[in-house]
C-alpha cells in the first residue's frame, strides 16, 4: 500500500507539469490535422503494403525474429529514431525513440508467428509455402507496419507544428510464449512512459476498456532426471524420467475435476526420451496455467509444482522447473479507449472489394466458421461491414475464462489500450494456417491503413489534449488499481527464455529465405508467389453426367 500511495503522489506532481508541456490547439485545428493525417496515411499505402508483405515472408517464431527486427529498426533509424537494441537481454527486442520531453507515449505490437502455419496468402484452403514451416497464423506481421505508418505521418506534423513529446516504438517479442513484456516492465523500460497504445490484428476496427474477460497465465517447463538403462535387458536398473512426466500429467488431469471452470491448462511433452530401448534419463513437459486472477494463477502454479514433486517421488527421479513466460489478466484504460473509439468512428471500415469478400466467404466455408463470433458479431458471411461497438468491462463472475496476452503486464503499470484493426477474416480458429491466408492480401493492407489512421489520430489527441492523460491516470489510480495491485509473476532472477524456437528456425530458415519478398521486383507478395487473387476451391458438379 505504501509503495502505491507514493506512486500516486508522484503522479499528482507530474501531471500538472505534463499538462503545461503539451501543446494546446483549437478543436478546429486538431480536426484539420486529423484530416491531414488520414490523407498522408493514404499516400503511404504502398509503403505499408510492402512492410506487411515483407514481414509475412519472414515468418519468424518467438525470440528468433531476427530479420523482422532488423528490417523494422532499419526503417525507423533512417527516419530519425534512436534505437536501443537487445533490451532485457533479448537479442530481437528493442526500443525506437523520437522526440523529446513529455508526454512519452509507447506504441507497440507483436512480431512473432505460429509453428507449422506456413500458408500461401490469398488461397482459401490449406496450401503451405513450405510444408511444416512456421507462418503468420496469428497475423503478427501487420501490427508494426501499422505503427510505423502512423508514427511517421504523425512525426511530420509534430515537427512542423512544434508539438513536444516523445514517441517510443517497441515490439512484442515471443508473444505466443507470453515471454517478454513482464521483463520489459521489471527492467524499467516503461517507468517514465505516460501511456501505451498497442495494436493487434482483428476482423473489425475496435477497442475496449476494463476487464476483457481473458485469463492471466504462467508458463512453466518441468524437467525430470532419472537413470538410463537397457529397456529390454535391464529395465529394473533404470529410473524413467518419462514415467515421471506421464505421472505428472495423469495427476494434473485428475486434478482438473476439482478446479474452477475459468481455468485453462495445457501441456506438451518437449522431451520424451531418445529411443524406446533406452530408459529415458531425461524428460520434460511444458505447461501453461491460466486463470482469472493473480491469486488463482499462483495457486495453479503451486499445485503444478506439488504434483510434479509427487511424480518425482513415485519414480525416484529428480525434478526442477523453469518459468518460461507469464501474463496478468488484462485491464485497459477507459478514457484512452473512449478517445480512440471517437477516432475509429471517424475512420470507419475499409471498402471491401468483391474479391476480398469472395476469399473471406470461401475460407469461412472451408473451416466451417460458426454463425457468430466473439461479442456476437457475424462470423460466416464474409468481412465485417459495420463497426463493432466500444467493448465495455466484463464482470469477473460472468467470464468463462479464455486466452491470455502479456500486454496486460504493461496495462497494470500505466494507462494502456489495445486497438484491434480489420486485417483478417471473421470466424477463424486462431493460431492456425487459416489465419495466415488474408495476411498478405488487400484485406490486410486495407485493414492496416484504417488502423493506422485511427492510431495516428489518437496519438495526436494524447499529445495535444492534456486532459485525456489526466483522466487516464485518474482512472488507472482510482478505479483500475484501487483494489488490485500488480505483482509480477516472474521473479527478480528469472531470465527470458531466448533459446526457444532456435532449432526450428535453424531447420527452416535456409529454405524460407528463398521466399522472402522482393519489392524491387514484385508489386506484391501475391505477385511474387504467382497467386491469382482470390484462389478458391472449385465447386464440384452436382450433375450425374455421362
Amino acid at each position: 500500500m505504501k509503495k502505491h500511495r507514493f506512486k500516486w503522489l508522484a503522479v499528482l506532481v507530474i501531471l500538472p507539469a505534463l499538462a503545461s508541456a503539451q501543446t494546446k490547439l483549437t478543436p478546429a485545428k486538431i480536426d484539420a490535422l486529423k484530416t491531414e493525417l488520414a490523407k498522408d496515411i493514404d499516400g503511404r499505402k504502398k509503403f505499408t503494403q510492402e512492410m506487411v508483405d515483407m514481414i509475412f515472408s519472414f515468418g519468424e517464431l518467438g525470440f528468433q525474429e531476427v530479420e523482422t527486427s532488423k528490417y523494422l529498426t532499419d526503417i525507423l533509424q533512417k527516419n530519425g529514431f534512436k534505437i536501443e537494441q537487445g533490451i532485457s537481454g533479448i537479442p530481437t527486442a528493442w526500443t525506437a525513440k523520437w522526440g523529446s520531453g513529455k508526454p512519452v507515449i509507447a506504441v507497440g505490437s507483436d512480431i512473432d508467428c505460429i509453428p507449422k502455419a506456413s500458408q500461401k496468402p490469398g488461397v482459401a484452403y490449406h496450401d503451405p509455402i513450405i510444408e511444416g514451416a512456421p507462418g503468420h497464423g496469428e497475423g503478427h506481421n501487420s501490427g508494426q507496419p501499422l505503427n510505423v505508418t502512423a508514427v511517421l505521418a504523425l512525426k511530420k506534423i509534430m515537427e512542423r507544428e512544434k508539438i513536444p513529446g516523445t514517441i517510443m516504438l517497441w515490439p512484442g517479442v515471443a508473444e505466443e510464449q507470453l515471454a517478454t513484456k513482464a521483463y520489459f516492465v521489471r527492467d524499467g523500460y516503461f517507468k517514465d512512459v505516460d501511456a501505451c497504445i498497442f495494436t493487434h490484428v482483428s476482423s473489425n476496427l475496435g477497442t475496449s476498456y476494463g476487464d476483457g474477460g481473458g485469463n492471466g497465465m504462467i508458463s512453466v517447463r518441468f524437467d525430470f532426471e532419472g537413470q538410463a538403462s537397457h529397456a529390454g535387458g535391464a529395465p529394473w536398473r533404470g529410473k524413467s524420467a518419462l514415467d515421471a512426466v506421464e505421472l505428472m500429467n495423469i495427476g494434473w488431469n485428475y486434478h482438473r475435476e476439482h478446479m474452477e471452470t475459468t481455468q485453462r491448462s495445457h501441456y506438451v511433452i518437449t522431451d520424451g526420451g531418445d529411443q524406446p530401448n533406452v530408459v529415458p534419463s531425461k524428460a520434460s513437459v511444458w505447461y501453461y496455467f491460466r486463470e482469472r486472477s493473480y491469486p488463482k494463477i499462483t495457486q495453479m502454479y503451486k499445485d503444478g509444482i506439488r504434483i510434479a514433486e509427487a511424480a518425482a517421488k513415485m519414480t525416484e527421479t529428480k525434478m526442477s522447473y523453469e518459468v518460461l513466460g507469464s501474463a496478468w489478466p488484462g485491464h485497459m484504460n477507459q478514457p484512452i479507449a473512449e478517445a480512440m473509439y471517437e477516432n475509429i468512428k471517424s475512420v470507419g471500415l475499409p471498402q471491401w472489394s468483391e474479391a476480398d469478400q469472395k476469399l473471406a466467404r470461401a475460407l469461412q466455408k472451408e473451416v466451417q466458421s460458426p454463425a457468430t463470433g466473439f461479442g456476437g458479431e457475424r462470423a460466416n458471411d464474409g468481412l465485417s461491414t459495420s463497426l463493432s461497438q466500444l467493448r465495455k468491462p466484463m464482470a469477473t463472475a460472468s467470464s468463462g475464462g479464455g486466452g491470455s496476452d502479456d500486454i496486460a503486464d504493461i496495462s497494470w503499470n500505466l494507462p494502456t489500450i489495445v486497438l484491434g484493426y480489420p486485417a483478417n477474416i471473421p470466424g477463424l480458429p486462431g493460431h492456425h494456417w487459416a489465419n495466415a491466408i488474408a495476411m498478405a492480401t488487400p484485406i490486410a493492407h486495407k485493414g492496416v491503413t484504417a488502423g493506422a489512421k485511427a492510431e495516428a489520430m489518437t496519438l495526436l489527441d494524447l499529445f495535444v489534449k492534456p486532459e485525456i492523460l489526466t483522466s487516464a491516470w485518474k482512472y488507472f489510480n482510482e478505479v483500475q488499481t484501487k483494489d488490485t495491485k500488480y505483482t509480477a509473476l516472474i521473479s527478480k532472477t528469472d531470465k527470458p527464455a531466448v533459446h526457444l524456437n532456435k532449432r526450428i528456425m535453424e531447420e527452416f530458415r535456409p529454405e524460407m529465405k528463398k521466399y522472402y519478398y522482393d519489392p524491387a521486383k514484385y508489386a506484391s507478395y501475391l505477385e511474387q508467389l504467382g497467386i491469382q487473387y482470390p484462389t478458391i476451391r472449385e465447386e464440384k458438379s452436382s450433375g450425374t453426367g455421362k
Side-chain angles (χ1 to χ4, degrees), residues 227-240 279 316:
Q227 182 174 307
S229 70
H230 193 302
W236 50 86
R237 298 185 65 178
K239 300 184 189 300
S240 174
V279 172
E316 297 183 274

Side-chain angles (χ1 to χ4, degrees), residues 1-11:
M1 282 297 291
K2 204 173 278 187
K3 181 180 177 183
H4 178 69
R5 186 163 62 245
F6 288 154
K7 181 178 179 181
W8 179 218
L9 288 171
V11 170

Side-chain angles (χ1 to χ4, degrees), residues 294-340:
Y294 174 82
K296 290 181 179 180
I297 297 164
T298 55
Q299 185 58 55
M300 288 181 76
Y301 180 27
K302 291 175 183 176
D303 289 345
I305 294 170
R306 177 173 52 83
I307 291 171
E309 289 172 339
K313 286 180 181 179
M314 283 188 281
T315 53
E316 297 183 274
T317 57
K318 297 176 183 178
M319 186 275 294
S320 61
Y321 56 92
E322 180 183 356
V323 172
L324 300 181
S326 69
W328 259 61
H331 190 118
M332 302 302 152
N333 190 267
Q334 183 175 354
I336 301 179
E338 289 173 343
M340 173 66 82

